[in-house]
Structure formats: C-alpha cells, structure tokens
Amino acid sequence: HNFFTSVKDLRRKYATYGHMVKGAEGTGMPLRDIDKDLGFIVSCATGGPDVKDFRKRIVGGFDAIDGPTPVLFQQSPEYRKARHQELTDIVLEDVAIIGQ
C-alpha cells in the first residue's frame, strides 16, 4: 500500500494524513527523521545500516520473506523490481537535495 510516484507526494502524506509530522512537507527535514519506516527505507536505498531497535533487512531479499506478500509482487518479479527501483530513485533524489 501507499505507492507514491514522487517524493513530494510521499512528504505530503506524512504532513497531512494520520499522525501528521510538522515539517515533513517541503525540504527542511530529512526523510529518515520523519518516520522510522522512512528511515528504514532510506537506509536500504543508500546501503546504510538498519535502523537501531527497529526493522532489519531480510538477507536473501523478497524470496526469503516468511509471511504474506503482495500477490502482484509474487506474480511479477519484473514489476516488483521496477517498483523497488522507482522507490529507490525517489529516496535518492530527496537525499541528494536534503541529505540523509
């Protein structure tokens, strides 16, 4: 869920929905400081360490996940890889502008 096509849309989500984060929208706050999930995503995209006392990356990637996964990701490795690359590009674009 929560598929975003730009960092602007991603930041808007955290600035306006659910548990809003003041300063999330715009370019003042690094993604990793907005939410632990985003910190995890930034670490993954940049090759950084896992977020302390939070989620850990699964060695072996998608095929090593023990539990439910999106059906489309199961049926289309090409789509899964393209979506992963799209999210990585979004994060790296933001990191290049704002920093980690």
Side-chain angles (χ1 to χ4, degrees):
H1 73 287
N2 291 337
F3 289 88
F4 302 98
T5 57
S6 72
V7 73
K8 182 178 177 182
D9 291 341
L10 177 64
R11 287 178 166 280
R12 184 177 302 118
K13 182 255 187 194
Y14 282 94
T16 59
Y17 297 100
H19 301 288
M20 295 185 292
V21 177
K22 187 174 181 150
E25 198 164 21
T27 58
M29 181 182 290
L31 288 175
R32 73 170 59 253
D33 294 342
I34 295 172
D35 182 83
K36 280 188 176 183
D37 284 319
L38 290 178
F40 180 76
I41 292 168
V42 170
S43 289
C44 183
T46 61
D50 288 331
V51 176
K52 185 178 178 186
D53 299 325
F54 193 57
R55 299 177 185 202
K56 305 286 184 240
R57 282 173 271 189
I58 297 172
V59 176
F62 183 83
D63 293 329
I65 294 173
D66 182 29
T69 56
V71 173
L72 184 56
F73 284 12
Q74 296 169 24
Q75 295 175 345
S76 178
E78 296 81 16
Y79 174 79
R80 180 177 73 235
K81 290 173 186 172
R83 182 62 194 129
H84 182 269
Q85 188 61 53
E86 182 180 22
L87 181 58
T88 298
D89 292 346
I90 287 170
V91 169
L92 293 178
E93 174 189 342
D94 193 73
V95 166
I97 295 168
I98 297 173
Q100 294 187 39

